[in-house]
Amino acid sequence: MLTWVIYSLSYNIVLKRSNFHVYGNVSITAPVGAQLISFCIGFPIGFILSRYIVFPESNLRGRKQFFRYALSTVTFILLTYMLIKFFAWSLPMVRADISYIFIMLITSVLSYLSPRFFTFKTTAETVADLPVEEFVEV
């Protein structure tokens, strides 16, 4: 939801619905620029919210969580792109907005399962990980 709001504000207010010049003959369209702005703001906020609020019980190191979160994010960006191309090329009779709903459903289910079982999964504690005080009888 946050990235949608950021995208809309970036597209309508920051970029004013017009392309922006980068360097030489290179320019970026307003939708792509708004997506980049939205990603740069939403990615770290999403990671922080997932780590500290949604999955605080995860006992993986922060660097490992961040790497896995980045890997999952890149995977979902590529998956969304491939599914858009699949629906556009293989099933041209399906309207783009209807196919995007299917794509959102697929990626929503997978984006729930990915952090739960990969990015922020909890590992079983081994005896070596437990503090010494738990083995000493008082």
Side-chain angles (χ1 to χ4, degrees):
M1 192 72 167
L2 174 68
T3 56
W4 288 348
V5 171
I6 295 169
Y7 180 89
S8 179
L9 292 174
S10 299
Y11 182 74
N12 292 310
I13 296 171
V14 176
L15 300 173
K16 298 176 183 167
R17 299 180 187 170
S18 59
N19 301 345
F20 65 96
H21 178 71
V22 178
Y23 180 78
N25 291 334
V26 178
S27 64
I28 296 178
T29 62
V32 172
Q35 180 66 32
L36 288 172
I37 293 169
S38 173
F39 177 77
C40 289
I41 295 171
F43 177 77
I45 291 173
F47 174 73
I48 290 169
L49 289 175
S50 294
R51 181 172 184 199
Y52 294 109
I53 294 176
V54 180
F55 300 105
E57 71 277 357
S58 177
N59 54 3
L60 295 174
R61 296 187 69 165
R63 287 180 297 198
K64 193 172 206 175
Q65 289 176 342
F66 185 77
F67 176 75
R68 289 180 175 190
Y69 187 79
L71 186 65
S72 295
T73 301
V74 169
T75 302
F76 284 115
I77 289 171
L78 293 174
L79 178 66
T80 302
Y81 176 77
M82 289 187 311
L83 287 173
I84 287 171
K85 290 298 181 183
F86 171 75
F87 278 103
W89 290 341
S90 300
L91 303 170
M93 70 293 272
V94 179
R95 289 181 23 196
D97 53 349
I98 302 298
S99 64
Y100 196 70
I101 290 172
F102 288 122
I103 293 167
M104 286 178 54
L105 289 172
I106 292 167
T107 56
S108 295
V109 169
L110 292 175
S111 68
Y112 169 76
L113 296 173
S114 170
R116 185 151 189 86
F117 296 108
F118 176 65
T119 307
F120 299 101
K121 75 174 183 174
T122 56
T123 57
E125 288 185 333
T126 61
V127 175
D129 293 336
L130 296 174
V132 176
E133 293 83 31
E134 292 188 26
F135 295 109
V136 178
E137 289 185 25
V138 180

